[in-house]
Every structure is written in structure tokens, then in C-alpha cells.
DNA sequence: ATACTGACTAAAATACGGATTTAGTCAATA
DNA sequence: TATTGACTAAATCCGTATTTTAGTCAGTAT
């Protein structure tokens, strides 16, 4: 029975509950009962509920990270890569319900304990975008004076639309618009033929 | 005393209070006392608190509308007009505190009574952007296949960044990024020289 | 030492009743 | 038509009692 890692069982169960009911409506007892253990064992593996949630969130974002890394690593035209990156990012995050819950962290004082994981993800994204833009610049497809500032803009746009998209469930409705928005941004970076 | 329009006195006073304390922290009595009238008189001119707030919000947005109309009516290059439109829009809305309060309308069930005014403003903006793009298309500066769809994108972007900008007071911090974002969007619409 | 239990505690969330505030009404008045 | 101010009903506030739940820990088993 304990040949299977209990810690990962806990995370698995926690993922189910947090995803379905959210952080507040999930109790540590729910999770413990679900894996037929006493509640105390959760505190053997995790400092507390917040740390456990962070772990779940981290794993959720990790699958997104992996997919995005793959896109960035591809040897396609960097303009295509950028568009794919944006579309995939939004598509995958659209199903990341625990991430959705933490969106409130930015706008209220809520979910402050999730700051580290969110910042880590943001840093990751900045890095990937920088890689894409640098590659594009080197190859001559992309023309930007200041890469860092361009990254800021893209981050601002993709972060900005998250709330209407995810918290108001408008993703499907706006899918087309998102696609065209991505194209638009990519176009504005395309090296002009003079 | 009543040669001056009492209705506008009420709105003036209401504007002060709503702007300073917000909708919930302002009482009808506050407003009435401030103009040395009995509370009942407010209900002679307005159906209730919500209608009064709507009137205040309407006027607040109206000054923005007027400024934006002026920009759209100018005979500058339509690409410049578009950029000016976006920057002015954000700059003016940044100080529209009652509008800020209604931003929550979108993301919670709160402030539903403000729906009409918000929708009216959105319609106004779509109209202005359409005018700019059509003019640009006619003059050959702007190259878009579908104007309506481009309007959607621009609306999505400018609406999207409102929350971080206004509710988190990041306007000053992001002023540069906003400027570059506007340039970027404008650039993506610029007719390519082939 | 490692993994786990389950009773225990303290803190947070919830429920509730009573007091207070406040939105909205209306008959009277000028 | 414009305004008053007392009145009502609804919402908010507030303290408190109750319940739920996060987190602890001494003890058990392996």
C-alpha cells in the first residue's frame, strides 16, 4: 500500500478537490478521507493547506510550462513560434482552474500565499518570450529595438485578457478574436521590407 | 434659490460624494444635507440611488466621450488618430473614479444596475474606432480585411488592461508600456509597402 | 528513524438575533 | 410643481453563540 508514494497520492487527491470545489470549499479532511488516511498525515508531507495548494498549482502550471517550452524549442519561423506560443498559452491556461482561482490574487489581497508560484511562472514566460524574440531578431524576421520592453507589452496584453477570458468564461466566444490579436501582435514585429 | 436647477445641484453633490467615498459609503442623506434639502427631494428628481449614480457615471463618461470625439474628428493621419485615441482614452478613464468602481460589474454580479451606461459607452467606442479604421482604409493608411473584427481586438486589449491599470493604480508605472503597446497596434495596421 | 493515527486545541467561518442605519414612500405644505 | 420630514421596510452592522476546520502532538506501528 505504501509502495506507492503517499505524497503524490495526496497531491493527486488535492488536485481533484481543489479543481472541483476551489481552495476554500475543500477541507483537509476531504482530501485525507479520500485517500483513506488520517488528516494528520497531510501535515507530515506538507506544512499546511496553503503549501499543498501551491504544490497543486505548481504542477498545473508545470504541464503548461512543458508544452510552452516545446513550442519555443521548435525550429519554426520565430514569428510562427510567437503566435503559437500565445495561442497555446491561453488555450492551456483556460483549463487551469486552480490558476484561475489565483487570478484574484492580483486584484484583491486574496491568495497572497500563492505569490511565489505565480511570480515563478511569470519569470518563466518572460524568459520564453525573450528567447523567441532574440531568435527572431538574429534570424532577421523580427525587428524590435528593445526586446525587454516588447516582452512587457506582450505580457501586459496576454495577462490583461485573462480575467474576461477565464473568470467570465469567454474563451470559446473570443477564440477567433484571440487568434487575430495574436496575428496582429506578430505582424507588428515583422521586419518591414523597405 | 431655486432659480439654479436643483437637479443639477443634486448631481453635482452626488458626484462629489460618490467620487470621494464610492457608491456604498455614500448615503442619500449625505447628498441631501450637503445641498440643504430634505432627502425626499432626491426622489422627486431621481427614481433612487442607483439612478442617481447612473447619472453621475453618465456625466463622467460624457466628458471622456467629448474628448474622444474631438480626436476622432481631427483631420490628422488616421494612424496617429488611433494612437491618440487609445492613449487619451486610458489617460482620461484613469481619473474616472466612478467608472473604476463599476469595473467590478464585469467580474462579479456587482453593480448590475450600471449595465446600460456601460454598454452605451462601449457602443460609442466601437463606433469611434470604426470611424477611424474606415477613414484610414479609405485613405490607404490602414490595411484591415475586417474592420469589425479589428475593433473587437482593440476593444479587448484596451478593456483587458483596465483592471491592472485602474484598480491597481499601475497607470503611471505602465505609461511607457501603454504608449508602446499603442504604437504596436497601430503598426500592425499600417499598410505594408510591398 | 519513518509513516501514520486520532483526539485535541485554537482559530476561522457561520448563524443568529437585536440594534442601527439607510433607501425609499407619502401625506401634508407652500 | 417643488419640497418637507415623519414613517416604513429593507439592508447593514454588531456582538455572541455555535460549528467547522486548520493545524498540533503525544503516542503507535513498522
Amino acid at each position: 500500500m505504501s509502495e506507492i508514494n503517499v505524497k503524490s497520492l495526496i497531491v493527486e487527491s488535492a488536485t481533484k478537490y481543489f479543481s472541483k470545489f476551489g481552495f476554500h470549499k475543500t477541507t483537509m479532511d476531504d482530501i485525507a478521507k479520500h485517500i483513506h488516511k488520517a488528516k494528520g498525515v497531510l501535515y507530515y508531507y506538507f506544512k499546511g493547506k496553503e503549501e499543498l495548494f501551491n504544490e497543486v498549482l505548481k504542477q498545473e502550471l508545470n504541464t503548461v510550462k512543458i508544452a510552452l517550452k516545446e513550442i519555443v524549442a521548435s525550429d519554426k519561423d520565430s514569428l510562427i513560434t510567437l503566435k503559437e506560443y500565445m495561442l497555446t498559452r491561453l488555450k492551456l491556461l483556460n483549463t487551469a482552474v486552480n490558476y484561475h482561482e489565483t487570478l484574484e490574487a492580483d486584484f484583491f489581497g486574496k491568495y497572497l500565499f500563492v505569490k511565489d508560484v505565480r511570480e515563478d511562472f511569470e519569470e518563466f514566460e518572460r524568459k520564453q518570450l525573450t528567447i523567441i524574440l532574440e531568435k527572431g531578431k538574429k534570424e532577421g524576421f523580427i525587428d524590435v529595438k528593445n526586446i525587454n520592453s516588447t516582452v512587457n507589452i506582450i505580457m501586459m496584453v496576454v495577462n490583461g485578457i485573462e480575467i474576461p477570458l477565464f473568470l467570465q468564461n469567454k474563451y470559446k466566444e473570443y477564440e477567433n478574436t484571440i487568434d487575430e490579436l495574436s496575428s496582429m501582435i506578430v505582424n507588428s514585429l515583422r521586419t518591414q521590407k523597405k
Side-chain angles (χ1 to χ4, degrees), chain A:
Chain A
M1 197 160 281
S2 83
E3 41 235 271
I4 280 190
N5 196 334
V6 171
K7 188 171 183 180
S8 57
L9 268 181
I10 293 172
V11 175
E12 211 178 288
S13 174
T15 301
K16 274 198 186 121
Y17 274 92
F18 286 140
S19 301
K20 192 160 188 181
F21 303 109
F23 179 77
H24 293 292
K25 292 285 184 187
T26 297
T27 72
M28 294 298 263
D29 236 24
D30 288 338
I31 297 165
K33 289 238 177 76
H34 183 241
I35 57 169
H36 306 290
K37 290 270 152 73
K39 190 175 53 162
V41 80
L42 302 189
Y43 293 87
Y44 181 76
Y45 291 101
F46 296 94
K47 274 187 84 177
K49 194 183 181 184
E50 300 190 345
E51 189 177 293
L52 180 51
F53 185 81
N54 267 301
E55 180 57 32
V56 169
L57 179 63
K58 217 159 132 189
Q59 292 198 8
E60 188 176 80
L61 288 178
N62 212 44
T63 71
V64 179
K65 273 187 184 178
I66 290 169
L68 293 179
K69 256 187 202 155
E70 223 169 275
I71 289 174
V72 173
S74 93
D75 52 2
K76 289 179 188 160
D77 174 347
S78 47
L79 288 167
I80 292 178
T81 303
L82 180 58
K83 185 171 174 186
E84 254 181 47
Y85 182 95
M86 287 191 279
L87 293 183
T88 305
R89 182 209 129 96
L90 287 170
K91 185 198 180 134
L92 293 183
L93 284 183
N94 182 48
T95 62
V97 294
N98 294 298
Y99 175 76
H100 294 180
E101 201 174 359
T102 69
L103 284 178
E104 293 184 38
D106 287 341
F107 311 117
F108 307 90
K110 298 189 118 204
Y111 295 99
L112 292 180
F113 59 90
V114 110
K115 190 166 167 267
D116 285 350
V117 178
R118 285 181 57 87
E119 283 180 356
D120 171 87
F121 187 68
E122 183 176 331
E123 198 196 319
F124 166 83
E125 288 213 87
R126 288 186 182 279
K127 213 170 281 174
Q128 304 311 307
L129 289 171
T130 304
I131 292 172
I132 298 174
L133 293 182
E134 271 171 357
K135 184 165 161 260
K137 201 171 182 176
K138 198 183 297 172
E139 291 170 353
F141 293 123
I142 289 179
D143 178 31
V144 284
K145 47 269 100 168
N146 187 336
I147 285 184
N148 211 46
S149 146
T150 307
V151 168
N152 281 341
I153 297 170
I154 297 175
M155 290 294 286
M156 183 182 234
V157 172
V158 294
N159 281 321
I161 60 180
E162 278 182 353
I163 288 193
L165 241 42
F166 301 152
L167 297 189
Q168 293 188 270
N169 263 43
K170 296 273 175 83
Y171 178 76
K172 262 277 165 271
E173 186 183 339
Y174 289 155
E175 216 169 9
N176 263 331
T177 307
I178 293 167
D179 192 281
E180 294 181 51
L181 166 61
S182 307
S183 298
M184 200 184 224
I185 290 175
V186 166
N187 274 338
S188 77
L189 302 178
R190 178 169 275 129
T191 304
Q192 310 286 335
K193 294 172 189 169
K194 307 206 172 170

